[in-house]
């Protein structure tokens, strides 16, 4: 079917009658008259004329052309025209051009690293076969890793599976090629009826312009069971072929249709040729028909958990209404409904998807606020850092009051911190930073949060910073203070050691004295005991003597004489002093210390 495009009209002539065309096909009258190149061109034109003008049967033309082309190839080789035959003619071949296109759009799929410790993976099963169409998000295969079995989803550009390098059950290390992806479906797969979805129509947004693969004039295609194809006639008419079926082209163009399937959590968005949009909730399936549809897309339903909300707008003939959808629910937008996209320049912990998101979350949230270049009362440059804990409590108030609530809160906190810092000197600021943990210090912030539907529950002070010069001075001051503190602590420890030594010495002395007092007390007690015993013995002796004397008195004994006789002892020394009245008075002293 492509031979007439390859042959320039200046090098051939079309036979005028059917007999000439038949003789040209069999190599009759043109064999001796023309060189191989002209004979090849005449045979091609003769075959085209024979089919177009006289409607010759394809089963008659095909063997004639095949026989004649084989003879011409051998003749060209013998005449030294092989270079012309392989280069000049085949250079413009659509198959050659398409093969070069495959090399340009070729992409190798390698074994991905599905876990941090994964070194190799085993392909448990392929979900795509050779010739299948693959787009972003499709599951390519199930891979068994060292820990679990994980589905491998395609995240690159769309295309067709040209070759599977590692079959199911095979193992490959991470980074090794396992399959080849090409930009356009190979012709042999289309002939075999593989499920290769066509590119989106050129009229749809984001579609890539691509023509159907060029097949031969007498080629046939097989549409398998469960597939559909559309055959374009030369006059522009379209015929939908539902498999299983086999179709001979005879100059027609074939395009396999793609089936769009939506499961229970997805829905189909269908745009027809007139621009009307229809949403079909899943489970459902629709075949893309280029004669009816402009585009078909499969979209995921909006699944909301508890404490999640979306804002949608519904357009009617007269006006546009807004509603807030609250979870938990599964929401499928209507064809005349769109979901509001929030665009916040500042993000928080819950709403941090680069400032663009659709789902509002009413869970407790927090945001870190850093305010640079604040001026204290003594004109020192200060930066403050706080953490704000908040929660969205009123979605309607948020929609009616602001477009960027986090930025509004940051501005309000900046005003509160500016007012606080401007009233403090640098030394006072260092002493009063603990006051920033009190929510009463952020009066403007709490008021603004209440106006936009938020509730600020807590503000935590995280730190402050200064300019380079002040920061260097503070660091040096901190070093000096730390040094003095260490020296003070060292001196205090030395004094504590000395005090401990003195205390221990005093304790030992007191214990010694206490022992001495105890010993002395014991000695006194013992002496008192002995004295009491001696007194008792003397008293007993005296009582005996009194009793004896009383008996003697009773007997009439003169006790005085008796006692004097009992006590009288012979003198050891007798001293007699004789003097008259005129002599001086004599005084005598006896030394009792003498041993005698």
């Amino acid at each position: 079917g492509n031979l007439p495009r390859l042959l320039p009209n200046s090098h051939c002539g079309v036979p005028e009658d059917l007999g000439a065309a038949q003789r040209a096909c069999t190599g009759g009258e043109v064999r001796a008259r023309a060189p191989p190149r002209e004979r090849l061109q005449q045979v091609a034109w003769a075959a085209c004329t024979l089919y177009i003008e006289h409607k010759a049967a394809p089963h008659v033309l095909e063997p004639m052309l095949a026989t004649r082309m084989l003879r011409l190839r051998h003749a060209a080789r013998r005449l030294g025209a092989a270079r012309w035959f392989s280069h000049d003619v085949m250079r413009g071949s659509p198959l050659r051009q398409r093969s070069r296109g495959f090399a340009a759009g070729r992409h190798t799929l390698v074994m991905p690293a599905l876990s941090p410790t994964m070194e190799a993976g085993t392909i448990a099963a392929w979900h795509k076969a050779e010739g299948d169409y693959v787009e972003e998000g499709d599951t390519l295969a199930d891979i068994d890793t060292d820990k679990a079995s994980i589905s491998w989803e395609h995240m690159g550009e769309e295309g067709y599976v040209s070759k599977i390098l590692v079959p199911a059950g095979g193992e490959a290390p991470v980074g090794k090629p396992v399959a080849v992806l090409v930009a356009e479906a190979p012709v042999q797969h289309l002939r075999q009826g593989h499920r290769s979805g066509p590119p989106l129509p050129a009229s749809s947004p984001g579609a890539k312009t691509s023509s159907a693969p060029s097949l031969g004039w007498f080629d046939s295609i097989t549409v398998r069971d469960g597939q559909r194809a559309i055959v374009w006639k030369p006059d522009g008419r379209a015929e939908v072929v539902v498999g299983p079926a086999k179709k001979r082209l005879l100059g027609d163009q074939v395009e396999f249709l793609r089936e769009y399937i939506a499961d229970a959590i997805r829905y189909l968005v269908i745009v027809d040729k007139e621009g009307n949009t229809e949403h079909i909730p899943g489970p459902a399936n629709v075949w893309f028909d280029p004669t009816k549809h402009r585009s078909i897309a499969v979209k995921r339903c909006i699944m909301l958990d508890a404490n999640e909300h979306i804002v949608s707008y519904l357009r009617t003939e007269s006006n546009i209404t807004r509603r807030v959808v609250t979870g938990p629910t599964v929401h499928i937008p209507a064809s005349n409904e769109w979901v509001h996209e929030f665009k916040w320049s500042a993000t928080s912990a819950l709403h941090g998807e680069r400032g663009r998101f659709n789902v509002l979350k009413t869970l407790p949230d927090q945001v870190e606020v850093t305010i640079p270049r604040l001026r204290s009362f003594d004109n020192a440059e200060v930066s403050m850092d706080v953490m704000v804990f908040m929660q969205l409590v009123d979605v309607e108030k948020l929609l009616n009051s602001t477009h960027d609530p986090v930025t509004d809160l940051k501005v309000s906190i900046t005003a509160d911190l500016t007012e606080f810092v401007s009233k403090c000197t640098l030394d006072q600021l260092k002493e009063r930073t603990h006051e920033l943990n009190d929510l009463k210090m952020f009066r403007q912030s709490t008021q603004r949060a209440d106006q936009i539907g938020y509730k600020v529950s807590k503000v935590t002070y995280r730190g402050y910073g200064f300019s380079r010069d002040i920061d260097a001075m503070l660091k040096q001051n901190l070093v000096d203070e730390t040094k003095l503190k260490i020296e003070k602590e060292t001196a205090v420890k030395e004094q504590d050691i000395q005090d401990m030594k003195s205390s221990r010495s005093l304790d030992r002395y007191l214990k010694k004295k206490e022992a001495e007092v105890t010993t002395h007390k014991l000695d006194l007690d013992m002496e008192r005991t002995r004295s009491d015993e001696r007194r008792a013995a003397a008293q007993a002796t005296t009582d005996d003597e009194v009793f004896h004397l009383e008996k003697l008195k009773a007997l009439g004994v003169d006790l005085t004489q008796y006692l004097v006789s009992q006590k009288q002892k012979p003198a050891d020394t007798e001293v007699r002093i004789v003097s008259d009245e005129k002599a001086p008075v004599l005084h005598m002293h006896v030394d009792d210390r003498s041993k005698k």
Side-chain angles (χ1 to χ4, degrees):
N2 297 317
L3 284 176
R5 293 188 301 170
L6 304 178
L7 305 176
N9 296 331
S10 59
H11 293 283
C12 64
V14 179
E16 297 179 357
D17 56 358
L18 180 59
Q22 290 177 345
R23 287 191 298 273
C25 289
T26 56
E29 62 184 48
V30 297
R31 179 178 298 151
R33 284 205 309 257
R37 180 171 181 173
E38 293 183 4
R39 297 206 317 257
L40 175 64
Q41 294 167 351
Q42 289 182 16
V43 167
W45 278 114
C48 295
T49 305
L50 190 64
Y51 173 72
I52 295 173
E53 295 184 359
H54 302 283
K55 300 298 181 181
H59 67 275
V60 176
L61 276 179
E62 190 171 357
M64 289 193 299
L65 278 177
T67 304
R68 188 57 183 159
M69 288 289 291
L70 183 62
R71 292 177 181 177
L72 287 177
R73 183 184 296 272
H74 292 304
R77 288 176 179 173
R78 288 194 302 270
L79 296 174
R83 182 179 180 184
W84 167 83
F85 192 82
S86 61
H87 180 69
D88 292 345
V89 175
M90 297 301 294
R91 180 174 55 186
S93 171
L95 296 179
R96 175 67 61 86
Q97 293 177 357
R98 188 162 298 280
S99 65
R100 287 198 297 266
F102 288 160
R106 182 187 180 95
H107 178 63
T108 303
L109 301 177
V110 299
M111 176 65 71
L114 301 178
S115 66
T117 59
M118 178 178 172
E119 297 181 356
T122 302
I123 297 179
W126 282 100
H127 290 270
K128 297 292 183 180
E130 293 183 358
D132 286 355
Y133 181 73
V134 179
E135 63 180 355
E136 184 176 0
D138 289 351
T139 300
L140 293 174
D142 293 335
I143 298 178
D144 294 336
T145 66
D146 53 347
K147 295 182 178 180
S149 179
I150 305 175
S151 297
W152 177 18
E153 293 187 358
H154 180 59
M155 301 304 294
E157 296 183 357
E158 59 186 15
Y160 299 84
V161 179
S162 174
K163 183 68 175 178
I164 294 178
L165 304 178
V166 179
E171 184 178 2
V174 174
K176 180 181 178 180
V178 296
V180 178
L181 205 67
V182 295
E184 297 179 2
V187 177
Q188 64 270 20
H189 292 311
L190 283 179
R191 289 174 179 172
Q192 298 170 4
H194 279 259
R195 182 183 297 275
S196 50
L200 293 177
S203 58
S204 63
K208 297 181 180 179
T209 304
S210 177
S211 59
S214 298
L215 301 177
W217 185 277
F218 304 107
D219 286 339
S220 62
I221 62 167
T222 300
V223 182
R224 295 182 178 180
D225 190 10
Q227 292 184 338
R228 293 186 184 183
I230 186 169
V231 178
W232 299 96
K233 302 294 183 179
D235 57 359
R237 292 181 295 108
E239 177 187 356
V240 178
V241 180
V242 180
K246 189 172 183 179
K247 182 72 174 177
R248 186 175 293 275
L249 297 182
L250 300 178
D252 298 339
Q253 296 265 337
V254 64
E255 183 179 353
F256 277 82
L257 301 182
R258 181 180 177 184
E259 182 182 14
Y260 289 84
I261 302 175
D263 54 17
I265 61 173
R266 290 174 174 83
Y267 63 97
L268 297 174
V269 180
I270 303 175
V271 181
D272 60 14
K273 289 293 186 179
E274 297 178 357
N276 300 319
T277 303
E278 180 184 6
H279 290 189
I280 301 178
N285 68 313
V286 174
W287 290 90
F288 178 82
D289 189 349
T291 62
K292 300 178 182 179
H293 302 142
R294 183 180 299 271
S295 66
I296 299 178
V298 180
K299 293 188 177 181
R300 188 181 181 90
C301 300
I302 303 175
M303 294 182 290
L304 300 178
D305 293 336
N307 300 313
E308 290 186 347
H309 311 266
I310 61 170
V311 179
S312 65
Y313 295 90
L314 187 64
R315 180 180 60 191
T316 59
E317 296 180 358
S318 58
N319 57 358
I320 296 177
T321 58
R322 183 185 71 190
R323 64 169 178 164
V324 178
V325 181
T326 304
T329 184
V330 177
H331 179 68
I332 299 177
S335 58
N336 59 341
E337 181 183 8
W338 69 93
V339 178
H340 178 72
E341 182 183 18
F342 295 92
K343 301 176 182 180
W344 295 357
S345 59
T347 59
S348 62
L350 292 180
H351 306 98
E353 300 88 353
R354 299 181 180 179
R356 292 175 175 265
F357 55 92
N358 301 103
V359 179
L360 283 174
K361 301 178 181 179
T362 55
L363 294 171
D365 197 3
Q366 63 267 2
V367 60
E368 183 179 359
V369 182
T370 301
I371 311 299
R373 303 179 65 85
L374 297 175
R375 290 290 178 178
S376 63
F377 185 77
D378 51 358
N379 203 27
E381 186 176 316
V382 185
S383 63
M384 304 295 293
D385 189 5
V386 296
M387 178 69 76
V388 182
F389 296 88
M390 57 189 182
Q391 184 176 2
L392 178 61
V393 295
D394 193 338
V395 178
E396 290 289 347
K397 187 180 291 186
L398 170 69
L399 298 174
N400 296 328
S401 303
T402 180
H403 294 286
D404 195 347
V406 179
T407 300
D408 289 354
L409 285 176
K410 286 187 175 182
V411 171
S412 303
I413 291 172
T414 301
D416 290 328
L417 289 177
T418 302
E419 181 180 359
F420 175 77
V421 173
S422 63
K423 296 179 181 179
C424 301
T425 62
L426 193 59
D427 295 334
Q428 292 175 350
L429 182 63
K430 293 167 62 177
E431 296 176 356
R432 295 183 56 190
T433 51
H434 66 279
E435 298 180 10
L436 295 177
N437 293 317
D438 189 0
L439 193 59
K440 297 179 181 179
M441 297 296 298
F442 298 90
R443 179 177 51 83
Q444 301 182 52
S445 302
T446 54
Q447 292 179 356
R448 182 55 183 167
D450 183 67
Q451 293 174 359
I452 62 177
Y454 271 87
K455 179 182 179 181
V456 178
S457 59
K458 184 180 180 182
V459 177
T460 303
Y461 166 72
R462 300 193 61 179
Y464 60 86
F466 301 99
S467 62
R468 290 185 177 180
D469 297 336
I470 297 179
D471 194 31
M473 293 172 59
L474 290 176
K475 287 182 178 179
Q476 186 62 37
N477 187 20
L478 181 61
V479 171
D480 296 339
E481 289 181 357
T482 305
K483 184 178 180 180
L484 292 175
K485 185 178 181 180
I486 293 174
E487 293 177 354
K488 179 181 178 181
E489 291 178 354
T490 303
V492 170
K493 289 182 179 180
E494 292 177 354
Q495 293 295 329
D496 291 341
I497 293 173
Q498 294 295 332
D499 293 342
M500 182 187 65
K501 290 181 178 180
S502 300
S503 177
R504 295 291 178 84
S505 300
L506 180 60
D507 291 342
R508 287 194 296 270
Y509 177 76
L510 293 176
K511 288 180 180 179
K512 182 179 179 181
K513 290 299 182 182
E514 185 178 357
E516 292 179 354
V517 170
T518 304
T519 303
H520 184 65
K521 185 182 293 184
L522 292 175
D523 293 342
L524 290 177
D525 292 340
M526 293 175 64
E527 184 65 26
R528 188 179 299 109
T529 303
R530 287 195 292 268
S531 298
D532 293 340
E533 292 177 353
R534 288 195 298 269
R535 189 180 303 109
Q539 183 68 30
T541 304
T542 303
D543 293 340
D544 292 342
E545 289 180 355
V546 171
F547 180 74
H548 179 67
L549 291 176
E550 288 180 351
K551 285 184 176 183
L552 291 176
K553 184 178 179 181
L555 295 174
V557 178
D558 188 359
L559 295 180
T560 301
Q561 293 179 359
Y562 173 76
L563 292 175
V564 170
S565 64
Q566 289 293 326
K567 297 297 182 181
Q568 187 176 0
K569 294 181 180 180
D572 294 332
T573 304
E574 182 178 353
V575 179
R576 182 177 293 181
I577 301 174
V578 181
S579 64
D580 54 6
E581 296 178 358
K582 295 182 181 180
V585 179
L586 178 62
H587 295 278
M588 184 181 60
H589 176 73
V590 179
D591 190 358
D592 295 335
R593 292 177 297 177
S594 173
K595 293 182 180 180
K596 295 180 178 181

